[in-house]
Amino acid sequence: MSIKQWFQTACLGLCGMVGNAAGAEAPAPFGPTPTEQQVKWLRMEWYAFVHFGLNTYTNKEWGYGDESPGMFNPGDFDAEAIVTTFKKAGMQGMIYTAKHHDGFCTWPTKSTTHNITLSPWKNGKGDVVKEFATACQRHNFPFGTYLSPWDRNCAEYGRAGYLDVYYKQIEELLTNYGPIFEIWFDGAMGGDGFYGGARENRNIGKADNYYNYTQVVKNIRKLQPDCIIWGAAERGDVTWAGSEKGFAKDYPLWNIRGQKWLSWEADTPINRRGWFWHPGQGSAVKTPQHLMEVYLASVGRGANLILNVAPNRDGRLDPADVASLQAFGDMRTKLLATDYALKATVTASESRGEKFNGSQLTDGDIESYWCPKDGTTTPTAEIKLAAPATFDVVRLREQIRLGQRVSSFKVEAWVDGAWKTIVEPGKPGERETRFDGIRGGKGHTIGNQVLRWLPAPVTTDRVRLSITSAKACPCISEFSLLRMPSAETTAPVEPVSDPTVLSSKGWKFSGFASNLAPLAFDGNKDTMWQHAKTPSHFVVDMTKEHRLTGFSYLPRQDGKTQGMTTRYRVELSSDCKNWKTVAEGEFGNLRANPVEQHVSFPPQKARYVRFFSTAALDGSGSSVAELKLHH
Ligand code: FUL
């Protein structure tokens, strides 16, 4: 190297350093920031939930706690097949219900005898948790576990003695099965149950006090510091996104609670019948298109999605669920496969130095980010594509390691010689709830990522991003332009026929509020039979004898829970005098998931049906939105 070259190189290096020192320092973090584990977790986006236990065999969503372990016998269970199905669909992990509210432990726990050692499966030597954990490890697929705090089997539930049992269960699951990426503590707490034979109602008061979640969190951190803790009265890392429909609460979505970073997880079953597998559920599977909306309303708002796919009584996934999962998975993979903004040239209104300039938006590196100087909260960036492209989804990501900052943004496209707004900036106070704004939604918060599906595809080679409000200088790591795959590219899901429903034409009604009883048979989910008392009942006269095999019940659908029937009894008669009970039980989990419930009973002939609402939610009153009698 000549002296001149050496001097030039040294000068460039020095100037670079000076440049860096003057303007290229990273901004200080703003507000609460996520832990490394939370960052990693958010980047997983979506994973499977697997509800599989005694309820799989009883057609129930919530077992009472007195079910026999003898029923659990999944002759064809294949954890490997389940894990590879999830992986193939693009899921990033799975969480298994090691124990649901019925208290049955699907691993050979030392904490209670109500466990899998009493099941005929593998002659009492089976361990579902182990089989899933091993298959996951083999496929490098993160494994997590759900352990219901509410235990309707345990005699000690509601007293101090149960805590030893519960803590022991947590310890076993976090010690014997390798790394657990997430542990789930359910929110359903206390109520009636078997409780070792007491068959009574047990109220635990404030869950946080009873379970001592501060202690639980401490114990978990000691055993597995990398494990994400769901729930635990918000003492953990992640909280429930507030529905069991898969949408993340409201949008805008902030990951901030006071001084703490708290992320959101939206949960939903792929099948409308519930979290556990139910006979004949095939036709109730959600379509790939619907799952895409769920994805946009959860991951697309900055949360994670946990999608339940339940094994059947053989221990296999339902083919209808698998078809829809795979079709949605393919759709998602295609959506994310081509980013038309990748490597596009970016001219930003401002940046705090080269390391933070506009091109960081389109470099495909999730860690680098574009950031203006401190104090600038409304910068803009023009993105020039190498060639015109057609897209209809815009994705943005913030560098969340530095905190969540952006409250609203706008995107424009250069169309026919002018800037046209394609994502309107959100205004303060506006909210998208449920599935609102899935198409044509506004630009509010970003967080880990936001996906905005435009009302129609746009073709252009120039796009402009404007941050319209932020709490501190925005740090935007990625800007992408994507194309939603068309619905035709997805595999069709074979419909499986529902049980045959009797026509209610000409039927007569008596009993309480019998003038409203026809509303439970009118095919209109928005009208209902209701009566101010519980228990209550009405009588159906089908005017002639039918062979009945079961019924389905749709709880009230108006968003209210008061008077929602949660316990029922069905009696049949041929003469309206002598009655025989054919079905009796509980509709579990209606508060969180008020979906249609199906009950079968041994076929019986009858002309009269008496439906009893024996318990209901939230005070007195009984209601039924729809009742269908099956033959
Ligand atoms: C709810 C439970 O009550 C349901 O049965 C299900 O496990 C769901 C994921 O959480 O709170």
Side-chain angles (χ1 to χ4, degrees):
M1 189 189 282
S2 69
I3 299 255
K4 196 175 156 205
Q5 277 170 330
W6 177 86
F7 182 77
Q8 276 171 345
T9 313
C11 186
L12 267 178
L14 195 66
C15 295
M17 274 163 67
V18 171
N20 274 346
E25 270 188 16
F30 177 83
T33 53
T35 60
E36 190 53 39
Q37 289 83 352
Q38 283 170 317
V39 171
K40 200 170 152 217
W41 176 87
L42 269 166
R43 290 179 183 172
M44 290 172 76
E45 286 195 11
W46 73 308
Y47 32 84
F49 219 163
V50 178
H51 279 64
F52 182 44
L54 285 178
N55 293 341
T56 311
Y57 296 85
T58 57
N59 200 14
K60 284 188 203 165
E61 281 288 290
W62 283 1
Y64 191 67
D66 58 354
E67 295 77 17
S68 163
M71 284 183 296
F72 190 80
N73 199 5
D76 207 15
F77 175 66
D78 187 346
E80 182 85 18
I82 293 173
V83 168
T84 48
T85 301
F86 293 157
K87 210 169 171 181
K88 197 164 152 242
M91 290 174 132
Q92 298 295 310
M94 63 160 276
I95 295 184
Y96 170 57
T97 54
K99 179 187 86 170
H100 203 252
H101 309 328
D102 56 63
F104 176 64
C105 296
T106 58
W107 77 100
T109 178
K110 302 268 183 305
S111 65
T112 168
T113 52
H114 195 55
N115 71 45
I116 201 155
T117 57
L118 299 181
S119 301
W121 185 58
K122 303 201 165 174
N123 294 320
K125 300 263 181 302
D127 182 343
V128 184
V129 180
K130 176 134 236 135
E131 298 213 11
F132 273 130
T134 309
C136 283
Q137 277 151 21
R138 202 174 304 134
H139 291 276
N140 197 14
F141 198 64
F143 176 67
T145 180
Y146 164 117
L147 185 71
S148 170
W150 184 24
D151 188 320
R152 297 174 105 181
N153 174 267
C154 184
E156 288 299 306
Y157 185 79
R159 307 186 192 122
Y162 172 66
L163 297 183
D164 296 337
V165 174
Y166 194 53
Y167 293 176
K168 175 105 189 108
Q169 294 174 350
I170 297 175
E171 192 189 318
E172 287 177 354
L173 291 171
L174 294 182
T175 309
N176 301 332
Y177 298 97
I180 301 290
F181 86 93
E182 178 175 339
I183 186 160
W184 234 84
F185 296 105
D186 201 278
M189 300 298 173
D192 64 342
F194 176 67
Y195 305 128
R199 297 185 183 276
E200 61 189 14
N201 201 66
R202 292 199 182 161
N203 191 333
I204 57 158
K206 214 165 163 246
D208 195 12
N209 295 344
Y210 176 56
Y211 298 116
N212 191 353
Y213 276 128
T214 311
Q215 190 56 44
V216 168
V217 167
K218 255 194 220 152
N219 295 353
I220 296 171
R221 300 276 191 239
K222 236 185 261 159
L223 293 167
Q224 293 216 18
D226 289 341
C227 179
I228 287 287
I229 303 173
W230 186 101
E234 301 199 348
R235 296 191 186 282
D237 309 293
V238 177
T239 191
W240 187 44
S243 82
E244 290 190 2
K245 293 196 167 58
F247 54 81
K249 223 179 157 278
D250 301 349
Y251 176 74
L253 195 79
W254 290 96
N255 292 255
I256 292 159
R257 286 289 168 90
Q259 294 311 303
K260 188 177 163 155
W261 180 279
L262 194 67
S263 291
W264 302 91
E265 187 189 74
D267 61 338
T268 202
I270 198 168
N271 199 288
R272 290 179 205 278
R273 291 283 293 281
W275 293 97
F276 286 88
W277 181 87
H278 296 275
Q281 65 168 33
S283 59
V285 66
K286 294 174 184 169
T287 62
Q289 290 73 23
H290 179 80
L291 296 175
M292 179 52 84
E293 292 188 9
V294 164
Y295 178 74
L296 294 172
S298 52
V299 174
R301 285 177 176 168
N304 270 7
L305 169 65
I306 179 162
L307 179 66
N308 188 74
V309 193
N312 62 20
R313 290 176 185 168
D314 294 332
R316 293 281 178 160
L317 297 179
D318 194 293
D321 288 359
V322 173
S324 200
L325 172 69
Q326 190 56 50
F328 161 67
D330 291 348
M331 236 177 136
R332 174 183 167 276
T333 306
K334 278 193 193 126
L335 169 72
L336 304 179
T338 310
D339 174 2
Y340 297 99
L342 192 67
K343 307 287 177 217
T345 312
V346 182
T347 315
S349 60
E350 185 186 313
S351 80
R352 58 196 300 131
E354 207 178 313
K355 197 173 160 206
F356 306 99
N357 68 15
S359 63
Q360 314 305 326
L361 285 175
T362 55
D363 64 355
D365 176 356
I366 198 171
E367 295 296 357
S368 69
Y369 54 98
W370 163 54
C371 184
K373 296 186 181 108
D374 289 350
T376 301
T377 53
T378 56
T380 58
E382 194 179 320
I383 296 117
K384 175 85 174 63
L385 315 186
T390 303
F391 56 87
D392 55 6
V393 176
V394 176
R395 182 178 64 191
L396 279 156
R397 285 180 183 277
E398 268 180 274
Q399 173 45 283
I400 51 170
R401 292 180 197 281
L402 294 168
Q404 192 179 356
R405 297 158 176 246
V406 175
S407 330
S408 68
F409 66 90
K410 173 166 87 168
V411 183
E412 297 158 289
W414 185 258
V415 184
D416 298 333
W419 286 112
K420 182 183 163 210
T421 301
I422 55 172
V423 179
E424 294 253 6
K427 295 199 191 82
E430 284 176 345
R431 302 200 77 77
E432 288 173 10
T433 58
R434 307 172 71 84
F435 289 99
D436 301 343
I438 288 312
R439 194 123 206 207
K442 295 191 176 175
H444 290 274
T445 47
I446 300 177
N448 179 52
Q449 71 176 306
V450 66
L451 291 155
R452 299 277 82 184
W453 189 10
L454 309 179
V458 174
T459 305
T460 186
D461 62 351
R462 275 172 80 190
V463 178
R464 188 161 67 187
L465 166 67
S466 305
I467 303 300
T468 46
S469 62
K471 294 180 172 176
C473 58
C475 303
I476 314 292
S477 67
E478 293 296 284
F479 177 89
S480 306
L481 298 171
L482 312 168
R483 183 78 205 259
M484 183 64 76
S486 58
E488 297 84 68
T489 59
T490 60
V493 172
E494 266 310 300
V496 180
S497 62
D498 258 344
T500 324
V501 174
L502 283 171
S503 155
S504 62
K505 211 162 154 233
W507 288 1
K508 297 184 189 126
F509 303 93
S510 55
F512 293 105
S514 58
N515 57 321
L516 299 180
L519 300 179
F521 295 87
D522 62 356
N524 180 354
K525 66 176 178 47
D526 298 323
T527 61
M528 59 186 160
W529 168 77
Q530 53 181 330
H531 180 227
K533 297 248 158 62
T534 3
S536 182
H537 73 267
F538 59 82
V539 180
V540 186
D541 175 3
M542 301 184 289
T543 68
K544 64 175 199 227
E545 206 155 72
H546 287 284
R547 185 174 172 272
L548 297 175
T549 59
F551 70 94
S552 44
Y553 152 72
L554 183 75
R556 65 189 300 176
Q557 296 292 301
D558 57 0
K560 299 191 180 121
T561 51
Q562 201 196 18
M564 195 183 260
T565 297
T566 53
R567 283 193 169 272
Y568 66 92
R569 187 165 79 244
V570 171
E571 298 174 348
L572 303 183
S573 169
S574 295
D575 55 8
C576 208
K577 285 194 197 101
N578 300 299
W579 294 95
K580 183 177 172 202
T581 300
V582 288
E584 192 166 19
E586 177 184 36
F587 301 119
N589 200 28
L590 293 193
R591 188 188 297 284
N593 196 22
V595 296
E596 190 173 62
Q597 311 286 310
H598 296 241
V599 174
S600 321
F601 46 74
Q604 314 264 323
K605 279 193 180 159
R607 172 175 160 178
Y608 299 92
V609 179
R610 194 150 68 170
F611 181 88
F612 286 84
S613 165
T614 54
L617 289 181
D618 302 335
S620 68
S622 301
S623 64
V624 174
E626 286 298 306
L627 198 71
K628 292 177 191 159
L629 299 179
H630 304 157
H631 69 102

